[in-house]
Amino acid sequence: MSESSDPSNFPALQRAPLGLFWRRISRRLRRIALTPLRRWLIREPEILVKVPTFDDAYCNAIKLIAPDYALAVDESSRRFWERDQNNSCWLEAAALDPLFRAMPKPKRILEIGPGLGRSVIFFSKRFFSSAQFSLYDATGQTTKYELEGQRYADSFCGNLPLLMRTLEFNGVANFQLIDGAHSAGGIPVAAQPFDFVYSFFAVGFHWALDHWLDELLALGGPQTLYVFTVAPNFVPPARLATMPFLLLQANSGLYPETTTYYFAFTKQPTPWFPAS
């Protein structure tokens, strides 16, 4: 273990002063306040992820994965969601672009909790057009959101038919679905290890990494890149602190007051991964 990977040298991040509920309320109020000026104050991100026409089913699916959004079945809400989703993708790209450009092009990619497909669409168009994506999720009816909480077999909040609709609408065909409802809540080990495993706002944020770690490590090889959105106060579990890791962060263009944190690691040192 290098000195920089020693957990005693890892700077602890301060917990956000507001609880998750009040952070959501505060963020929504800021959005409302900025709405009349947003067109002139904020540069809109390029739209790579296209959102299909809204209907009741689509709005209900969004409400399940993003309960702090109040959207209607109209074109204004569709455009707002499309801008928001592309902003999230460019935020991820800002944090991860150096790693993506340094690593060998992945052939096999696993996303845990793809939602309505924004990340796989963006990554497929922007970075990994020749990769095969495996998407692990299940159609759910309720959620159990906990910041770095327990892992529950019935806490899926995806919608696989609408995920497929969105991917097809964007012309993405290089994917396969892994239905968690038919895999006893676990991820089947593939014949070949994944080159890149990631989860945004699922594992690492709503589900603590500790509850997935053995399973995740079995899915990748020695130099597989793992990336997870984490909470502001995240400190690596003891087992991960012995591996090469980075804590990355990026600020949103649309919501500059929002900082998102990403924890990236490989199981073994690799020349293209600059451990912290």
Side-chain angles (χ1 to χ4, degrees):
M1 179 176 65
S2 66
E3 181 181 355
S4 60
S5 297
D6 188 332
S8 65
N9 294 324
F10 186 77
L13 296 170
Q14 297 300 313
R15 180 179 294 276
L18 298 176
L20 183 60
F21 171 79
W22 289 111
R23 276 186 284 157
R24 286 174 175 168
I25 296 297
S26 177
R27 186 171 64 180
R28 181 178 296 180
L29 291 174
R30 284 194 293 268
R31 287 175 183 165
I32 293 172
L34 278 175
T35 295
L37 302 175
R38 188 177 303 279
R39 181 178 300 176
W40 293 275
L41 292 178
I42 298 174
R43 181 181 177 182
E44 295 286 344
E46 180 184 356
I47 301 297
L48 292 184
V49 180
K50 306 291 187 181
V51 172
T53 302
F54 269 16
D55 55 20
D56 287 333
Y58 212 95
C59 283
N60 289 336
I62 293 173
K63 186 180 297 184
L64 195 60
I65 64 175
D68 53 332
Y69 285 63
L71 301 178
V73 182
D74 54 37
E75 178 61 13
S76 176
S77 289
R78 189 203 67 80
R79 289 198 306 268
F80 171 83
W81 180 249
E82 188 174 74
R83 292 196 305 270
D84 181 272
Q85 293 297 278
N86 279 273
N87 177 74
S88 295
C89 291
W90 285 109
L91 186 68
E92 292 152 6
L96 302 175
D97 183 86
L99 287 179
F100 289 166
R101 297 190 182 281
M103 69 186 295
K105 289 295 183 183
K107 298 179 180 179
R108 293 167 294 277
I109 298 175
L110 171 66
E111 180 177 8
I112 304 171
L116 294 175
R118 64 168 179 80
S119 293
V120 61
I121 295 167
F122 185 87
F123 287 162
S124 180
K125 291 182 177 182
R126 175 78 174 174
F127 295 106
F128 311 126
S129 59
S130 61
Q132 177 68 27
F133 288 80
S134 296
L135 309 176
Y136 175 78
D137 210 337
T139 299
Q141 302 298 325
T142 60
T143 57
K144 296 179 179 179
Y145 280 148
E146 298 179 17
L147 194 60
E148 296 183 292
Q150 296 291 322
R151 176 180 180 178
Y152 299 102
D154 61 345
S155 59
F156 293 106
C157 59
N159 188 307
L160 297 187
L162 294 181
L163 169 62
M164 290 190 64
R165 182 205 295 183
T166 308
L167 295 177
E168 292 168 357
F169 184 75
N170 282 269
V172 176
N174 52 331
F175 71 92
Q176 64 171 349
L177 298 181
I178 303 174
D179 191 341
H182 299 153
S183 62
I187 305 174
V189 176
Q192 293 180 295
F194 292 103
D195 305 306
F196 176 34
V197 177
Y198 71 94
S199 182
F200 296 143
F201 294 103
V203 176
F205 193 85
H206 288 305
W207 291 327
L209 266 172
D210 267 341
H211 301 308
W212 290 79
L213 196 49
D214 290 332
E215 191 171 345
L216 291 170
L217 294 177
L219 294 168
Q223 297 186 0
T224 294
L225 175 64
Y226 294 87
V227 177
F228 305 94
T229 308
V230 293
N233 62 323
F234 178 78
V235 175
R239 283 188 292 170
L240 286 180
T242 65
M243 302 177 189
F245 69 82
L246 290 171
L247 184 66
L248 307 168
Q249 67 183 62
N251 290 91
S252 166
L254 287 180
Y255 316 122
E257 75 285 351
T258 301
T259 302
T260 304
Y261 300 92
Y262 305 92
F263 182 72
F265 70 93
T266 58
K267 289 196 283 187
Q268 295 182 9
T270 182
W272 53 263
F273 186 85
S276 59

